[in-house]
Amino acid sequence: MERAALIVSMLVLACAPADPSGYEPGEERSGGDTTVFDTSRAAYSISARNLTFDERSRFLVGNNFFGDNWVVAPSSTSARDGLGPLHNALSCGSCHLFDGRGEPPGEGEEMVSMLVRLSVPGQDAHGGPLGEPTYGGQLQPRAIPGVPAEGATHLAWEEVPGAYEDGEAYSLRRPILTIDTLAYGPMHDDVMTSARVAPPVYGLGLLEAVPDATLLALADPNDADGDGISGRINHVWDAARGETAIGRFGWKATQPSIHQQTAGAFLGDLGITTSLFPSQECSEREAECRAATTGGEPECEDDILDFVVFYGQTLAVPARRDADDPDVLHGKRLFRDAGCASCHVPRLETGEHEITALADQIIYPYTDMLLHDVGEGLADHRPDFEADGREWRTPPLWGIGLLQTVNRHQLLMHDGRARGLAEAILWHGGEAEASREAFRAMSRDEREALLRFLESL
């Protein structure tokens, strides 16, 4: 495996552009041949452009099951019944609005596209987090009639003042989470919580197609090169294969495949069982949940799950805008010089994949899919497989410049605390502290150029 990783590392270097901070012909095609050229509100919701006619038909069926609401069983709509008993949402699309990023609730509002993970100290049989004994792995604030919802979540914000080195002031906001109206008694005294917004779902198939050897080549868990960056792989449980695998998806890289990510979301978010996760997560105290009528065994048949998985695999990445603009290229150089590209790796190549359209593509995701310590300010102090409480997976940056257009907000980071790209950079600490300080030390013109580059992604 190490030899394979070395070979991939050499190939990556051999294929890298001569001037990584200059314009690289074709870099506007963020998803290679799959790239979609669309800057409308639908930019995240279009299929890979190189799918066959039959594959596009399959994508459209998956889109229907992704967006349509599930209903309470029993129902005449047998293909979509079985919602809950406990759940967070009615459909995949209600959290991943327009296939983009969720957001934290406004003052006095309920969480809609955000959830709260729960665990207690210890590990489950596969090395994953140990769910809270009564409420499980995530709080479900909604339920079908006759079943009490688990509780309610609330977010408040605390302003944290700061200033750039040129004296210009800024303010960050830190979330304060509270949980109340618990229906099944108090939580464990040592419960750990982690509030997370729904991440965007476009481009996932391309990330799935990046070979394991590439990630192994990028990882530097002991910082052997001494650059202060020690990206680590999260080894997680692959339920379908019954073995440990490399984690790629989710805020802490806890899911090894889109299939498992999708099946896990069906169960945790919608309360829908699948052949991969066939049992409801109702605890001993949740008697009404355990007695509720099901929508079948499983509630989501394999063919429907496959359609939704295919949809998630083949959502295209939007093309960059103004990639050769001088201001954008200036920002690109500043991004590289600040060390941001050490984790937000610009260029990767996909390998083999069951979907031919995703294979052998040069892509520009701006991620290494590895875990990094990003400091105490962002820590949730909740271990998740091998990720510790200060580590998060480097999120891809492709498409981020269209967030305002598609999702009508610019709330970033895992819990939506950052009100724009500048605040997101300023929240970085740990391994990224030097990059943050480089940004903080830039002149206003330089900061705007770097942000202009990010907006072009």
Side-chain angles (χ1 to χ4, degrees):
M1 184 65 78
E2 290 181 356
R3 183 173 181 273
L6 176 61
I7 292 173
V8 169
S9 180
M10 293 171 65
L11 289 173
V12 168
L13 290 173
C15 297
D19 178 7
S21 63
Y23 172 70
E24 179 185 350
E27 68 174 298
E28 62 273 16
R29 289 158 41 90
S30 300
D33 292 341
T34 72
T35 305
V36 59
F37 289 79
D38 189 295
T39 57
S40 73
R41 199 173 190 193
Y44 298 162
S45 301
I46 301 172
S47 67
R49 296 295 78 192
N50 55 347
L51 296 183
T52 65
F53 178 81
D54 287 346
E55 287 173 330
R56 291 195 183 197
S57 298
R58 191 177 173 192
F59 173 89
L60 292 175
V61 176
N63 183 19
N64 287 336
F65 283 108
F66 187 87
D68 286 354
N69 288 345
W70 288 72
V71 299
V72 178
S75 166
S76 58
T77 311
S78 58
R80 293 192 180 92
D81 72 349
L83 177 71
L86 298 164
H87 61 97
N88 293 77
L90 301 178
S91 71
C92 307
S94 58
C95 290
H96 304 281
L97 190 63
F98 291 89
D99 304 293
R101 185 182 302 267
E103 61 182 311
E107 184 176 355
E109 296 177 346
E110 296 181 352
M111 286 187 180
V112 175
S113 54
M114 185 175 195
L115 57 78
V116 178
R117 297 275 190 217
L118 306 172
S119 60
V120 296
Q123 292 183 319
D124 68 13
H126 302 301
L130 197 58
E132 202 282 336
T134 299
Y135 296 93
Q138 70 187 54
L139 191 78
Q140 293 164 313
R142 297 179 178 82
I144 64 173
V147 178
E150 290 186 321
T153 54
H154 311 277
L155 273 182
W157 303 97
E158 175 187 22
E159 291 294 325
V160 183
Y164 295 103
E165 283 195 10
D166 63 9
E168 182 175 335
Y170 60 76
S171 182
L172 307 178
R173 63 173 188 171
R174 177 183 293 123
I176 302 171
L177 172 70
T178 56
I179 300 174
D180 59 22
T181 60
L182 292 172
Y184 303 95
M187 287 190 181
H188 191 282
D189 289 342
D190 297 323
V191 66
M192 296 176 281
T193 62
S194 183
R196 305 173 184 184
V197 299
V201 291
Y202 55 86
L204 298 184
L206 292 167
L207 298 181
E208 189 173 59
V210 174
D212 283 356
T214 299
L215 304 188
L216 290 166
L218 291 170
D220 185 15
N222 299 314
D223 191 20
D225 62 7
D227 67 351
I229 306 297
S230 55
R232 296 198 308 125
I233 285 173
N234 196 5
H235 296 93
V236 302
W237 183 247
D238 187 322
R241 293 161 56 188
E243 61 185 24
T244 299
I246 291 177
R248 293 167 180 262
F249 304 108
W251 287 108
K252 295 216 175 199
T254 53
Q255 297 293 348
S257 67
I258 300 171
H259 178 245
Q260 183 164 316
Q261 171 93 341
T262 304
F266 262 116
L267 183 63
D269 300 350
L270 306 181
I272 302 292
T273 58
T274 61
S275 59
L276 189 62
F277 298 121
S279 301
Q280 289 288 349
E281 294 181 325
C282 305
S283 71
E284 287 299 315
R285 289 189 186 179
E286 296 173 327
E288 296 90 342
C289 177
R290 289 187 283 111
T293 301
T294 72
E297 297 180 358
E299 293 165 323
C300 176
E301 299 288 350
D302 282 347
D303 59 341
I304 295 176
L305 177 61
D306 289 344
F307 278 124
V308 178
V309 171
F310 185 82
Y311 178 74
Q313 289 172 316
T314 54
L315 277 165
V317 180
R320 287 187 59 191
R321 288 77 54 211
D322 306 320
D324 58 352
D325 180 276
D327 289 340
V328 170
L329 291 175
H330 182 206
K332 183 180 179 182
R333 285 190 289 274
L334 292 165
F335 180 84
R336 183 203 61 180
D337 293 346
C340 307
S342 297
C343 303
H344 291 285
V345 174
R347 186 180 190 273
L348 296 173
E349 292 187 32
T350 66
E352 296 180 354
H353 195 276
E354 61 186 357
I355 301 172
T356 303
L358 304 176
D360 303 319
Q361 299 294 320
I362 296 174
I363 61 174
Y364 298 87
Y366 287 84
T367 178
D368 58 7
M369 289 186 274
L370 301 176
L371 297 172
H372 294 276
D373 177 351
V374 285
E376 186 64 21
L378 291 173
D380 65 358
H381 304 111
R382 179 181 178 274
D384 206 334
F385 287 96
E386 295 180 5
D388 69 27
R390 290 165 54 106
E391 290 179 313
W392 298 90
R393 183 195 71 148
T394 308
L397 297 181
W398 54 10
I400 201 168
L402 290 172
L403 177 59
Q404 180 66 46
T405 299
V406 175
N407 288 129
R408 304 290 196 255
H409 69 78
Q410 297 188 63
L411 302 176
L412 301 169
M413 311 305 285
H414 63 279
D415 51 15
R417 68 177 66 192
R419 294 163 292 195
L421 292 161
E423 288 191 20
I425 297 170
L426 292 166
W427 268 112
H428 283 62
E431 296 175 40
E433 182 175 345
S435 297
R436 180 198 68 200
E437 287 304 294
F439 177 70
R440 213 171 61 80
M442 291 178 188
S443 68
R444 183 168 190 174
D445 287 346
E446 290 172 328
R447 297 196 300 269
E448 289 180 351
L450 192 151
L451 297 178
R452 177 79 177 87
F453 161 68
L454 294 175
E455 290 165 356
S456 78
L457 298 179

